[in-house]
């Protein structure tokens, strides 16, 4: 039976190259975004949801399981929310901050939790950035979300009782090793995701890679 990957956050920059990479490697691929797609085939299933709401995750896993008869082997959480605070890091509207924290932290936590509950061998991969350690007042809300998520991913990675499941936070940097902000490389993310998904060992959970 084919392995299943699910990608939360299908967009042109990372989500789509990752979907193509896993499909070419023989996986069935489910994708999630707010925008509907009509291209579902035997190997692709696109689901619409707003990941602002962590409670949507269970229904998504239920749909994948009822469609293909098993829970995902690989979960890629790629959606991210950014509420900029250009002049004052304390200026974010609370509603916006809560929604962005949901997308960056609570919803991926829920996805990892449900994925593990249903498949103890799942690989969970999250598209991160340097904000797990870098503090930039303009991007405070995202930094809060990414750093919190890096924390629980590291906790899951060192919790030996969770093996063989594996958990990673993936942070692309520029070729010089700087935070990239722009210039994301989708193919490099896709290559890394597949390599980590196919490695049965839990490695260092914070993966900083240059591309
Ligand atoms: N390494 C770095 O320095 C760096 C730099 C920039 C970004 N990033 C990270 O890269 C990731 C993806 O970036 P990207 O957006 O450019 O990638 P992308 O793969 O082009 O698109 C991701 C997709 O996620 C979907 N999404 C976003 N919010 C959602 C929500 N609330 N509910 C459902 N789907 C949602 C959007 O589709 P819909 O609009 O259709 O929902 C979006 O097109 C983010 O996690 C971001 O933090 C890292």
């Amino acid at each position: 039976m084919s392995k299943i990957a699910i990608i939360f956050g299908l967009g042109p920059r990372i989500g789509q190259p990752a979907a193509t990479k896993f499909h070419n490697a023989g996986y069935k691929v489910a994708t999630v975004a707010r925008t509907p797609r009509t291209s579902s085939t035997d190997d692709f299933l696109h689901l619409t949801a707003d990941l602002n709401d962590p409670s949507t995750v269970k229904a998504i896993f239920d749909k994948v399981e009822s469609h293909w008869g098993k829970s995902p082997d690989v979960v890629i959480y790629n959606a991210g929310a950014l509420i900029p605070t250009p002049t004052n890091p304390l200026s974010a509207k609370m509603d916006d901050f809560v929604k962005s924290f949901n997308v960056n932290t609570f919803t991926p936590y829920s996805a990892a939790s449900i994925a593990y509950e249903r498949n103890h061998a799942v690989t969970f991969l999250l598209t991160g950035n340097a904000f797990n350690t870098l503090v930039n007042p303009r991007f405070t809300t995202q930094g809060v979300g990414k750093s919190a998520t890096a924390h629980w991913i590291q906790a899951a990675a060192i919790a030996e009782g969770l093996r063989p499941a594996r958990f990673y936070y993936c942070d692309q940097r520029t070729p010089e090793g700087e935070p990239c902000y722009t210039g994301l490389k989708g193919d490099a993310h896709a290559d890394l995701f597949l390599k980590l998904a196919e490695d049965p060992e839990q490695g260092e959970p914070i993966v900083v890679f240059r591309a």
Side-chain angles (χ1 to χ4, degrees):
M1 185 183 271
S2 298
K3 288 186 184 173
I4 297 172
I6 182 166
I7 301 173
F8 288 89
L10 178 69
R13 297 210 291 172
I14 296 177
Q16 188 59 58
T20 303
K21 184 90 192 174
F22 277 79
H23 180 245
N24 289 345
Y27 285 69
K28 294 184 186 299
V29 180
T31 53
V32 183
R34 289 163 296 195
T35 308
R37 306 260 173 132
T38 52
S39 59
S40 290
T41 66
D42 286 352
D43 291 347
F44 283 109
L45 173 66
H46 184 70
L47 302 168
T48 52
D50 189 341
L51 302 170
N52 277 334
D53 177 2
S55 73
T56 58
V57 169
K58 181 177 176 300
I60 291 167
F61 277 86
D62 288 346
K63 281 180 190 161
V64 171
E65 259 187 59
S66 70
H67 193 72
W68 283 319
K70 69 192 267 270
S71 194
D73 302 282
V74 178
V75 176
I76 297 171
Y77 193 93
N78 177 57
L82 177 60
I83 309 297
T85 47
T87 56
N88 172 359
L90 302 181
S91 64
K93 292 194 174 63
M94 287 311 298
D95 276 3
D96 291 341
F97 199 167
V98 168
K99 281 183 194 157
S100 85
F101 195 73
N102 282 342
V103 174
N104 292 326
T105 302
F106 283 135
T107 304
Y109 180 90
S110 175
S113 170
I114 292 171
Y116 174 74
E117 192 179 282
R118 297 185 184 194
N119 180 355
H120 282 12
V122 72
T123 306
F124 181 89
L125 304 152
L126 183 124
T127 311
N129 56 22
F131 292 151
N132 60 315
T133 53
L134 174 74
V135 176
N136 181 329
R138 289 180 294 151
F139 302 118
T140 303
T141 62
Q142 196 180 70
V144 169
K146 295 285 190 190
S147 58
T149 288
H151 187 104
W152 64 254
I153 285 177
Q154 289 172 96
I158 61 174
E160 283 302 326
L162 298 190
R163 302 289 84 74
R166 286 144 283 146
F167 301 86
Y168 293 98
Y169 177 99
C170 303
D171 167 13
Q172 185 205 321
R173 301 291 176 93
T174 67
E176 295 74 37
E178 300 297 326
C180 71
Y181 293 102
T182 58
L184 277 183
K185 300 286 190 333
D187 288 339
H189 278 83
D191 289 348
L192 176 69
F193 291 156
L194 185 62
K195 181 170 149 271
L196 293 172
E198 299 278 302
D199 185 343
E201 299 298 320
Q202 169 73 61
E204 165 56 44
I206 305 294
V207 182
V208 177
F209 65 108
R210 298 182 183 199

